[in-house]
Amino acid sequence: KTRFVVDLDVVYGSAEPPEGYTRLTHTISKAFRANINKNGPETYLAVKYSDLANRDAVYHTAQTLQDIFMVLPSKGEVEILQQIDGEHVLLEDKNMNRSSFTNNNTPMLLALRRGPRSGLCDLPLKAAVRDRFPLEDMTVRRPDGCQEEIVFPIQLPMFCFPTGVKLIAADKYSYPEVTSRSIVTTDGQGRHKYVACLVLYEPASEGSVKNLQEVYAMDMSKYDTGSGYMTFAGENTSEEEMVVYEPKCLCVVSNWPIYRSLKRFLMQLYTISLSSCRVPLERFVSTFVSYTPLPRPGASEVHLHLDKALVDVEAGEVSSLDPIVLHLPSQKAPPV
């Protein structure tokens, strides 16, 4: 009741099926042998199952079988198979029509079409912007003195998660690793936007995961698997139970490829967020985006100590974070 077929194979005679496969030796009544080759060597199907009662299968499932085809290569049906959409596997070395007579052997092959994985952490979810600063596009003054309108790249979520947003299931002591990446987008006028991204993970809420289960028909209550396979943030969990983490991507968009400065800002913002802070994180964002000047090309560097306001100089405290260095090379400087 809780299992589904993920693969088929062909087994001859008394040969053992591949590991993890079950040979179908009898028909449904158990009264007859399930030999599918009456005129030759005994031939049986072997089935591989995946069981949803296994907790790991809730998060990651094997590819299910969407369709099964019988193919006669001698009749040109391999070419027909190649014209059908989807991922196909032709079992070329598993003839199901072996004959005891050499002159009467027309191969009959099995072809499988595989479907997508459907575990909770296999589903590619759509990315969307949850918040941004500033909330509206704005006009800024460039270092060369010209005015320029800053337009938010609407395709940014797709670039942040090009294969879709995917959840991660791990125990509560194995927090997913924080990663960074760089992106360049181009608008309709050929202008580039340079983006630094920091991908981090937070425990998904119980409501959001249950909503996904309903949307993708993965409500485990319809299976006799009991409860406790899904664990959410805020519950009392044991060491063996899993937590579902959802990715979030922090981005800084710039007209200039100052990736090192942008990534350092994001990492320091994340570092500050890990402990209690008397200053809202939004204040650091607005300070960096709206009030930190970018020097003209070739001018002196600007050093920003993001945690300077948190340091008590009179008490002898010093900044624990490296300065964020903002600098544009001279327009006459040779390329690096």
Side-chain angles (χ1 to χ4, degrees):
K1 187 176 180 180
T2 65
R3 66 183 185 178
F4 53 94
V5 177
V6 296
D7 203 4
L8 285 177
D9 203 353
V10 178
V11 181
Y12 301 110
S14 59
E16 290 294 325
E19 184 178 357
Y21 289 71
T22 301
R23 181 206 301 266
L24 303 181
T25 57
H26 290 82
T27 61
I28 191 171
S29 67
K30 306 297 183 183
F32 307 97
R33 301 286 291 180
N35 177 21
I36 59 176
N37 187 15
K38 296 298 183 181
N39 297 321
E42 288 189 342
T43 305
Y44 299 92
L45 290 179
V47 184
K48 184 178 182 180
Y49 298 100
S50 182
D51 198 339
L52 286 178
N54 180 354
R55 183 183 64 181
D56 292 338
V58 175
Y59 308 110
H60 297 285
T61 63
Q63 288 181 279
T64 57
L65 292 184
Q66 283 192 328
D67 216 336
I68 301 173
F69 304 95
M70 309 301 291
V71 180
L72 285 171
S74 62
K75 303 298 182 180
E77 292 188 343
V78 174
E79 290 74 14
I80 298 176
L81 177 68
Q82 295 173 347
Q83 298 174 8
I84 301 177
D85 294 334
E87 179 185 348
H88 300 87
V89 176
L90 180 64
L91 306 183
E92 299 183 31
D93 59 340
K94 298 298 178 71
N95 179 16
M96 296 185 295
N97 191 31
R98 282 186 173 183
S99 175
S100 301
F101 303 97
T102 306
N103 296 329
N104 185 22
N105 187 11
T106 302
M108 173 75 75
L109 303 182
L110 191 66
L112 312 175
R113 182 168 69 176
R114 304 190 186 280
R117 302 178 188 274
S118 57
L120 189 65
C121 297
D122 298 321
L123 303 173
L125 308 177
K126 182 180 179 180
V129 177
R130 299 188 62 175
D131 201 358
R132 53 173 283 192
F133 180 86
L135 294 177
E136 298 179 353
D137 297 337
M138 62 180 182
T139 301
V140 298
R141 183 178 181 181
R142 295 171 55 93
D144 57 10
C146 299
Q147 299 288 330
E148 181 176 355
E149 184 180 6
I150 302 298
V151 179
F152 182 81
I154 59 176
Q155 71 275 31
L156 184 59
M158 180 188 67
F159 283 101
C160 293
F161 298 101
T163 60
V165 177
K166 292 188 177 181
L167 306 177
I168 290 182
D171 63 68
K172 60 182 180 180
Y173 302 106
S174 300
Y175 197 87
E177 181 181 0
V178 176
T179 59
S180 63
R181 63 176 70 115
S182 302
I183 300 172
V184 180
T185 66
T186 306
D187 61 18
Q189 299 180 2
R191 296 175 299 188
H192 296 313
K193 291 290 186 293
Y194 304 93
V195 187
C197 303
L198 188 72
V199 181
L200 50 90
Y201 292 83
E202 294 182 352
S205 66
E206 179 179 358
S208 62
V209 177
K210 283 187 175 180
N211 181 60
L212 284 176
Q213 289 178 317
E214 295 173 358
V215 172
Y216 291 94
M218 293 187 62
D219 186 1
M220 298 302 293
S221 62
K222 63 184 177 181
Y223 300 107
D224 292 335
T225 56
S227 59
Y229 289 102
M230 195 70 70
T231 302
F232 307 98
E235 296 182 358
N236 294 325
T237 62
S238 66
E239 186 174 354
E240 293 77 15
E241 292 177 323
M242 308 293 282
V243 177
V244 177
Y245 295 92
E246 59 180 354
K248 294 182 179 180
C249 188
L250 302 179
C251 301
V252 182
V253 183
S254 174
N255 284 338
W256 301 275
I258 49 175
Y259 289 119
R260 182 176 299 178
S261 303
L262 301 180
K263 287 185 177 180
R264 177 168 291 184
F265 165 72
L266 291 175
M267 284 301 302
Q268 292 188 1
L269 185 67
Y270 174 68
T271 301
I272 294 174
S273 71
L274 296 179
S275 57
S276 59
C277 180
R278 62 177 182 270
V279 179
L281 293 178
E282 291 80 2
R283 179 63 62 85
F284 296 101
V285 174
S286 63
T287 298
F288 183 76
V289 174
S290 301
Y291 299 102
T292 303
L294 184 65
R296 295 176 180 272
S300 300
E301 299 175 346
V302 172
H303 288 208
L304 172 64
H305 292 269
L306 202 60
D307 62 343
K308 196 70 173 181
L310 306 177
V311 175
D312 188 349
V313 179
E314 296 181 357
E317 296 180 355
V318 295
S319 174
S320 61
L321 300 177
D322 294 331
I324 300 173
V325 181
L326 300 174
H327 173 68
L328 291 178
S330 172
Q331 296 177 348
K332 297 181 180 180
V336 179

